[in-house]
């Protein structure tokens, strides 16, 4: 009995000592590094691991190193909830980054709200920050913003009647709904509204329907994964003479390769500065942050950066900035308050300025309209 | 009219993909009554290995041969390591083993290769062929031709060759087959190797159209299974016709009705057929159970 007590006391003392010896900032991450959303979560996990290492090598925040706890929820909302609870209760983190998909974000979100831990989501849906929740922030643009950006560009081209072909995956379906909601505000009429399954191999029937709908002046394809690449190839196969717009869901160099440069020629989509890192003007506000991140990531992993890794980069930068300004790495409430006061933080996605009414903090200028030209991205503004 | 032709071209392209997967099911089913749900993974492996061999510098035809050989070796290994040790287990257990194997193969592919989508160039370029106002890609013709070639090959194998008949005999009655001197263990090994090779061949043909990633196998296996059920499990003719019909149902529904109902209509048709003819369109009537 006394032996057990002594042992317990020793462990407790060790624990206290360990805690005291490394004054550290405990940061929690749950992303989908494997599973169906791995192409989102994998670069996100890699980005955060790299940035934490860099920061700790440089001496941390106000002299305190970051202790990172990273979980892989595999895209499963139930696992994400378990990990979020564990992050809060066992790992005692002061902030959480994660939720690669809208589904996992929603799980983490409720834990963060209940426990009062600031949480930065990496998922797209507008419902994450609308209505505003006290502890929840997010870095990616919403799909509604993507629709608005595309419709603004269409308006400038004099396009008023379009056909839509959307993926039935979560991303495609959500963006389809958002686009239909805001189309009217931009004077756009959706004449044809088709869908395809995320693993479909041929979309020519749907596209033929769109082509045979009188008056369609452009095609818009919300979706990600293989679908948009196949749609792009099918559009070329059918010899469409009207412009094709894709969403930010395919904003990566791999997309051009999959769709084929020839088929993708002239295609337009809203993307981030990250995609055109090598074409940014040196006086561009985002030039430095984008180039630094791109070079570091490439050197470390021998892979190209993706927009999704960029979301994680920005979330991490926001947390670091907030903790620095809060001056207190132990109090989640202080960090949350500092986060909400973020003003003009330049990230890879855009420039963030949060307010009590806005926990996304980006405007349409964060999106850049890009066109594929000779197998490369060309800014068209 | 040109719209109908376009829908049919689309249906035949996709249907030929389903048919190739369904044809792969045929052999293992014929040898063992097992529906091998790792068949979709064989297709995926065929595409993935070709992509990486091609990117490593091998010419495309050689990369394809390498992929087919490696995949059939994996098929043989699956039989030796997972199916054979479970000899005597009920068919359902064996089917569950194949589902487990498909998960293992998917996981291993993620680790060995990556999680990205890939493709390699079409065999005869990407310029569409125009027929009466509709268009079809040359690669679609490769896929349809490939499905026909595999069908003819299997038809000959099962009806004209002694080995093929040995496979059928093994399925029918393993003990009796052994008694007449058929090496049933070897027949099983052959079946897995051959069906993996057919899967990989399908993967090589379809990757320029459908793209390949570590997780494309599941959907392919399900559609191929549906096609095989529609045509009649175990019958090459059924696999071919079932695949092409399923593809055409989907394309025509998407074209004339609504893309929302595409999958639903295809499966309603299959259910309808199975209610009327439970053995599928070309399946043999089952009379062995008394």
């Amino acid at each position: 009995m006394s032996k057990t007590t002594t042992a317990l006391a020793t462990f407790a003392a060790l624990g206290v000592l360990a805690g005291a010896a490394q004054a550290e900032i405990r940061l929690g991450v749950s992303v989908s590094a494997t599973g169906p959303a791995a192409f989102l979560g994998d670069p996100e996990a890699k980005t955060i691991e790299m940035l934490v290492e860099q920061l700790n090598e440089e001496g941390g925040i106000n002299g305190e190193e970051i202790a990172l706890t990273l979980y892989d929820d595999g895209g499963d909302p139930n696992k994400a909830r378990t990990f979020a609870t564990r992050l809060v209760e066992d790992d005692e983190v002061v902030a959480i980054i994660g939720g690669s998909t809208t589904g996992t974000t929603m799980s983490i979100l409720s834990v963060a709200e209940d426990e009062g831990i600031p949480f930065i989501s990496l998922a797209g849906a507008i419902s994450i920050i609308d209505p505003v929740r006290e502890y929840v922030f997010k870095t990616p643009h919403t799909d509604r913003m993507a629709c608005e950006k595309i419709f603004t560009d269409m308006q400038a081209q004099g396009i008023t009647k379009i056909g839509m072909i959307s993926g039935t995956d979560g991303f495609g379906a959500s963006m389809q709904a958002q686009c239909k909601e805001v189309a009217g505000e931009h004077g756009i009429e959706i004449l044809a509204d088709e869908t395809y399954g995320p693993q479909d191999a041929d979309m020519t029937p749907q596209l033929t329907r769109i082509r045979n709908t009188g008056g369609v002046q452009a095609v818009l394809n919300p979706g990600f994964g293989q679908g948009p690449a196949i749609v792009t190839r099918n559009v070329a196969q059918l010899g469409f003479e009207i412009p094709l717009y894709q969403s930010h869901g395919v904003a990566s160099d791999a997309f051009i390769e999959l769709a084929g440069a020839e088929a993708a020629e002239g295609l337009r989509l809203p993307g981030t500065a990250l995609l055109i890192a090598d074409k940014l003007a040196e006086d561009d506000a985002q030039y430095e942050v984008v180039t630094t991140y791109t070079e570091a990531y490439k050197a470390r992993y021998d892979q190209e950066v993706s927009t999704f890794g960029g979301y994680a980069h920005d979330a991490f930068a926001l947390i670091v900035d907030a903790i620095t300004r809060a001056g207190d790495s132990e109090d989640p409430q202080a960090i949350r308050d500092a986060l909400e006061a973020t003003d003009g933080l330049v990230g890879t996605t855009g420039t963030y300025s949060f307010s009590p009414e806005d926990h996304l903090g980006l405007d349409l200028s964060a999106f850049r309209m890009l066109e594929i030209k000779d197998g490369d991205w060309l800014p068209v503004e | 009219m040109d719209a109908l032709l376009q829908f049919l071209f689309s249906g035949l392209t996709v249907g030929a993909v389903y048919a190739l997967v369904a044809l792969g099911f045929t052999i293992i089913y014929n040898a063992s009554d097992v529906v091998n749900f790792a068949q979709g993974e064989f297709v995926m492996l065929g595409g993935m290995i070709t992509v990486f061999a091609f990117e490593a510098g091998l010419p495309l035809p050689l990369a394809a041969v390498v992929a087919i050989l490696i995949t059939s070796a994996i098929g043989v290994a699956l039989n030796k390591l997972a199916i054979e040790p479970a000899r005597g287990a009920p068919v359902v257990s064996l089917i569950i083993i194949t589902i487990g194997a498909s998960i293992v193969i998917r996981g291993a592919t993620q680790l060995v290769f990556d999680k990205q989508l890939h493709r390699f160039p079409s065999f005869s370029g990407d310029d569409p062929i125009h027929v009466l106002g509709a268009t079809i890609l040359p690669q679609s013709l490769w896929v349809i031709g490939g499905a026909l070639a595999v069908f003819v090959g299997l038809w000959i194998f099962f009806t004209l060759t002694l080995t093929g008949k040995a496979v059928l005999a093994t399925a029918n009655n393993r003990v009796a087959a052994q008694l007449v001197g058929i090496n049933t263990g070897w027949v099983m090994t052959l079946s897995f190797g051959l069906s993996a090779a057919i899967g990989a061949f399908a993967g090589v043909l379809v990757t320029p159209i459908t793209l390949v990633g570590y997780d494309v196998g599941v959907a392919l296996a399900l559609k191929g299974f549906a096609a095989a059920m529609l045509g009649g499990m175990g019958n090459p003719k059924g696999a071919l016709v079932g695949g092409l019909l399923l593809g055409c149902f989907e394309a025509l529904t998407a074209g004339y009705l609504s893309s929302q109902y595409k999958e639903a209509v295809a499966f309603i048709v299959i259910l309808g057929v199975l209610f009327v003819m439970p053995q599928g369109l070309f399946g043999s009537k089952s009379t062995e159970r008394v």
Side-chain angles (χ1 to χ4, degrees), chain A residues 103-142:
Chain A
T104 54
T105 287
M106 287 305 174
S107 291
I108 303 172
L109 177 154
S110 55
V111 176
E113 280 291 292
D114 289 349
E115 305 283 342
I117 300 288
F119 165 50
I120 304 188
S121 162
L122 310 177
I126 193 167
S127 51
I128 297 165
I129 43 98
D130 183 20
V132 172
R133 293 174 175 87
E134 195 177 358
Y135 293 93
V136 182
F137 301 80
K138 93 184 192 85
T139 53
H141 320 82
T142 61

Side-chain angles (χ1 to χ4, degrees), chain A residues 193-197 200 202-210, chain B residues 3-4 6-12 14 18 223 230 244-270:
Chain A
D193 186 19
E194 301 288 329
T195 59
Y196 57 83
D200 282 4
D202 188 292
M203 285 60 151
T204 51
Q206 291 96 314
L207 289 167
T208 304
R209 271 171 76 107
I210 292 179
Chain B
L4 172 65
Q6 188 63 53
F7 300 156
L8 286 179
F9 280 167
S10 165
L12 290 177
V14 178
Y18 299 160
K223 287 293 174 62
L230 176 62
L244 294 179
L245 276 181
L246 182 59
C248 287
F249 287 147
E250 286 190 358
L252 291 173
T253 313
Y256 285 121
L257 211 57
S258 160
S259 42
Q260 312 258 9
Y261 304 133
K262 180 170 54 94
E263 318 256 314
V265 169
F267 282 104
I268 287 170
V269 171
I270 291 175

Side-chain angles (χ1 to χ4, degrees), chain A residues 33-39 42-43 168 176 193-197 199-206 208-209 211-212 225-227 229-230 233-234 236-239 254 257-260 262 303, chain B residues 2-3 6-7 10 13-14 17 55 110 115-119 122 126-128 130 133 135-137 208-211 214-217 219 223 250-251 253-260 262-263:
Chain A
T34 58
F39 65 100
D42 186 52
T168 51
Q176 179 195 27
D193 186 19
E194 301 288 329
T195 59
Y196 57 83
Q199 304 252 335
D200 282 4
D202 188 292
M203 285 60 151
T204 51
Q206 291 96 314
T208 304
R209 271 171 76 107
R211 189 176 57 180
N212 292 353
Q226 68 203 81
I230 295 174
R233 301 177 64 81
N234 287 163
Q237 178 194 339
L238 292 174
E257 207 177 299
L258 291 175
E262 216 174 298
Q303 274 177 2
Chain B
D2 57 339
Q6 188 63 53
F7 300 156
S10 165
T13 304
V14 178
V17 179
E55 279 172 6
Q110 265 189 73
K115 299 163 192 160
Q116 312 296 322
L117 287 166
H118 299 277
R119 81 180 280 270
S122 311
D126 286 324
D127 294 331
H130 294 262
T135 54
I136 189 164
L137 291 174
I209 295 179
T210 62
L211 318 181
Y214 76 95
D215 60 349
V216 300
K223 287 293 174 62
E250 286 190 358
T253 313
Y256 285 121
L257 211 57
S258 160
S259 42
Q260 312 258 9
K262 180 170 54 94
E263 318 256 314

Side-chain angles (χ1 to χ4, degrees), chain A residues 328-362:
Chain A
D328 181 351
S329 60
E330 304 262 317
D331 180 14
Q333 187 63 39
I335 296 173
R336 187 216 84 91
D337 294 344
L339 202 53
E340 194 167 73
T342 300
D343 185 27
L345 183 128
V346 181
T348 63
T349 313
T351 304
Y352 296 90
S353 297
F354 292 136
S355 71
E357 295 81 36
D358 182 7
H359 281 193
L360 170 62
L362 292 173

